[in-house]
Amino acid sequence: MAVRYQHIADDLRRRITSGAWIPGERLPAESALAALHKVSTPTLRNALDVLAGEGLLEKRHGVGNFVRHPFQRITYTNDRRAPDRRPLDDAELQVNVSASPREARGDLMSLLQVVAGTPLTEYVYLSHLGDAPYSLARVYVPRHVAYFSMPDQGRSPWGDDIEDRLAAAGVRTVATVERVTARRPTSEEADTLRLNARTAVLAVERTSTDAKGRVLAAALLVLPGDRAEAVFTTQAFDAEQEGVR
Amino acid sequence: MAVRYQHIADDLRRRITSGAWIPGERLPAESALAALHKVSTPTLRNALDVLAGEGLLEKRHGVGNFVRHPFQRITYTNDRRAPDRRPLDDAELQVNVSASPREARGDLMSLLQVVAGTPLTEYVYLSHLGDAPYSLARVYVPRHVAYFSMPDQGRSPWGDDIEDRLAAAGVRTVATVERVTARRPTSEEADTLRLNARTAVLAVERTSTDAKGRVLAAALLVLPGDRAEAVFTTQAFDAEQEGVR
DNA sequence: GAGTGGTCTAGACCACGAG
DNA sequence: TCGTGGTCTAGACCACTCA
């Protein structure tokens, strides 16, 4: 026996991928589906959570469960020259930014390699694609590196405008390290991204350093796991190519 | 009110981070903790799932819930020269490899950019750190690119030995693309990695291409989200450095 | 066999969204 | 107000581990 919700998830997935339920369509109520599969509602909801985590389903509290349209996919990439770095039409993607002063503490100290109490500026980027929240990013820049009262509005959702402004100010990034983890969202993140607390998020911790290894900026990105991916392109190192020759 | 399990998770987390419960220690039974917090067992288990997803807790069926030792962390990186590319002492990390013939179908076709039925070799890497499963990787190499009856044993858990053998055979990788997503494990993955089906995994889809853009090999990595991270280091492009000068 | 975690039941009650 | 999904209860029963 065991894991009935997995079998139910398989059955429901088949109905979606086979086209029996088409994108945008509302599924029967959870109570009806539970009765149909002869299970209790918690068990059926467990099956729905699986599909929601796969991005096949969109749950709307008080409204219903809907088959997701397969297009909208969030792609974060390390390639600044890539055409999809700014992922979609600016008309559709709305980016809101706010700036506020902070002092380094806890994780930010090790992330930025500064001592406690160091003055920072925190930039919070929250982007929306239509009605749906899209990404959440927090960018931190030490005051002794630079200060911008307010970044450009409506640009990259990942804080690329900060990088551009740093470059314009003569502060050159020579290396970027991106640390990626998979985890459940904090309750705040789930709230702002309107996510189910059970669906995973892709968390990216990005630090930019100059030629001396000094940290210029750090960013914490949170992307919904059910519709996001991060793509990293690496060119072969010269040393490797020549080492074999 | 709402979300009691989050408050319970916060309370339990405090006990761990404050040192009231030390690494390796077994927590009271779930029924006891449920009675202590005056909630039902499913609610308490929900709180424990949160902590397990954060890597603070290790659940052992039939035995108990244990505070995790904070050291063992899995780091996957794109930097082949990094010292932690082979993450730990080979003595501790055991890597098992098996090879078997396959034919391209479904996702593998687009991943390897070959037509249906193309002969491939599948190499399955399963690594253990002590008793605990560590990583699962499946590497695919088209037969028309190369064929190795069996990769080296006890080497990298990510299939780096395949890359090395390709290089030795004169097949040069010039670019690597790694696509990272956060999702729940399939039931097979949860089984082999001995994971809770609710904890997220970090999935890495890696393709290596040569100078002509031909796909040389593709790999599917699955890492437990509660103790894994992927680190990507990007050097600034020459074009960017020179463009500003 | 005793004790543990894993899954499931059959509801109850609350929060949300639309008319 | 009504129907929907979200959370929780107070158990039951099964699977696993170890003495």
Side-chain angles (χ1 to χ4, degrees):
Chain A
M1 196 206 278
V3 277
R4 301 188 59 171
Y5 75 88
Q6 287 282 12
H7 294 145
I8 297 172
D10 292 343
D11 180 47
L12 298 177
R13 192 186 300 107
R14 251 192 307 276
R15 300 203 199 196
I16 293 174
T17 54
S18 73
W21 287 334
I22 62 171
E25 186 173 352
R26 210 204 80 183
L27 268 56
E30 298 187 347
S31 55
L33 286 175
L36 183 68
H37 287 87
K38 297 189 185 8
V39 293
S40 65
T41 45
T43 300
L44 185 111
R45 284 177 51 73
N46 219 332
L48 292 179
D49 280 344
V50 172
L51 300 186
E54 295 172 3
L56 293 174
L57 223 62
E58 186 181 341
K59 301 181 74 67
R60 290 193 224 156
H61 187 179
V63 185
N65 299 304
F66 296 80
V67 179
R68 168 115 65 196
H69 286 94
F71 38 82
Q72 48 190 23
R73 164 142 273 169
I74 302 174
T75 300
Y76 174 80
T77 169
N78 69 335
D79 188 351
R80 296 291 158 80
R81 299 170 303 181
D84 56 350
R85 177 79 185 173
R86 291 206 175 78
L88 288 162
D89 302 333
D90 289 35
E92 294 188 52
L93 187 68
Q94 290 196 330
V95 184
N96 286 303
V97 197
S98 65
S100 52
R102 286 280 182 280
E103 293 200 345
R105 47 171 175 61
D107 289 343
L108 287 180
M109 287 165 52
S110 54
L111 200 59
L112 293 163
Q113 291 174 21
V114 296
V115 298
T118 303
L120 316 170
T121 314
E122 178 190 58
Y123 304 92
V124 178
Y125 292 72
L126 181 60
S127 68
H128 289 258
L129 183 62
D131 289 338
Y134 186 87
S135 67
L136 171 65
R138 285 157 288 189
V139 182
Y140 299 91
V141 181
R143 287 292 293 260
H144 60 76
V145 171
Y147 170 70
F148 316 115
S149 65
M150 185 58 77
D152 301 340
Q153 295 282 339
R155 304 271 291 173
S156 157
W158 334 119
D160 287 346
D161 45 353
I162 295 277
E163 202 79 11
D164 295 345
R165 287 233 204 163
L166 284 172
V171 182
R172 195 80 68 249
T173 295
V174 302
T176 303
V177 176
E178 278 143 325
R179 181 175 165 272
V180 186
T181 54
R183 56 172 175 81
R184 284 164 67 153
T186 67
S187 44
E188 291 82 11
E189 291 166 350
D191 195 46
T192 56
L193 290 174
R194 261 188 279 154
L195 273 179
N196 188 321
R198 279 167 220 73
T199 66
V201 295
L202 200 62
V204 180
E205 194 181 285
R206 181 184 66 211
T207 57
S208 309
T209 52
D210 67 7
K212 294 171 189 159
R214 191 175 60 144
V215 175
L216 303 176
L220 303 176
L221 270 67
V222 180
L223 305 175
D226 58 355
R227 53 188 190 277
E229 59 184 14
V231 177
F232 297 93
T233 304
T234 313
Q235 305 296 327
F237 300 106
D238 293 337
E240 281 188 23
Q241 294 178 321
E242 293 176 352
V244 193
R245 190 182 300 160
Chain B
M1 193 200 281
V3 275
R4 301 189 59 173
Y5 75 88
Q6 286 283 11
H7 295 144
I8 298 172
D10 292 344
D11 180 47
L12 299 177
R13 191 186 299 107
R14 253 193 305 276
R15 301 203 198 196
I16 293 174
T17 55
S18 72
W21 286 334
I22 61 171
E25 187 173 352
R26 209 204 79 182
L27 270 56
E30 299 186 348
S31 55
L33 286 175
L36 183 68
H37 287 87
K38 298 190 191 355
V39 293
S40 64
T41 45
T43 299
L44 184 110
R45 284 176 51 72
N46 219 333
L48 292 179
D49 280 344
V50 172
L51 300 185
E54 295 172 3
L56 293 173
L57 223 60
E58 185 181 340
K59 301 181 76 66
R60 290 194 224 155
H61 188 180
V63 186
N65 300 304
F66 296 80
V67 179
R68 168 118 62 197
H69 286 93
F71 39 83
Q72 48 187 25
R73 165 143 273 172
I74 303 173
T75 301
Y76 173 80
T77 169
N78 69 335
D79 188 352
R80 296 291 159 81
R81 300 171 303 180
D84 56 350
R85 177 79 186 173
R86 289 204 177 76
L88 288 161
D89 302 332
D90 290 34
E92 293 188 52
L93 187 66
Q94 290 196 329
V95 184
N96 286 302
V97 197
S98 65
S100 52
R102 286 280 182 280
E103 292 201 346
R105 47 170 175 64
D107 289 343
L108 287 180
M109 286 166 51
S110 54
L111 199 60
L112 293 163
Q113 291 174 20
V114 295
V115 297
T118 304
L120 317 169
T121 315
E122 178 189 58
Y123 304 92
V124 177
Y125 292 71
L126 180 60
S127 70
H128 289 258
L129 185 62
D131 288 339
Y134 186 87
S135 67
L136 171 66
R138 284 157 289 189
V139 182
Y140 299 89
V141 181
R143 287 292 294 257
H144 59 76
V145 171
Y147 171 69
F148 315 116
S149 66
M150 184 60 77
D152 301 342
Q153 294 283 337
R155 304 273 290 174
S156 156
W158 335 118
D160 287 345
D161 46 352
I162 296 277
E163 203 78 11
D164 295 345
R165 288 233 203 162
L166 283 173
V171 182
R172 193 83 66 249
T173 295
V174 301
T176 303
V177 176
E178 277 143 324
R179 181 175 165 271
V180 186
T181 53
R183 57 173 175 81
R184 285 166 65 156
T186 67
S187 43
E188 291 82 12
E189 290 166 351
D191 195 46
T192 56
L193 290 174
R194 262 188 277 154
L195 273 179
N196 188 320
R198 280 167 221 73
T199 67
V201 295
L202 200 62
V204 181
E205 193 180 286
R206 181 184 67 211
T207 56
S208 310
T209 52
D210 65 9
K212 293 172 190 161
R214 192 176 60 146
V215 175
L216 303 175
L220 303 175
L221 269 67
V222 180
L223 305 175
D226 58 356
R227 53 188 190 278
E229 60 185 13
V231 177
F232 297 93
T233 304
T234 312
Q235 306 296 328
F237 299 105
D238 292 337
E240 281 187 23
Q241 293 177 322
E242 293 177 351
V244 192
R245 190 181 300 160

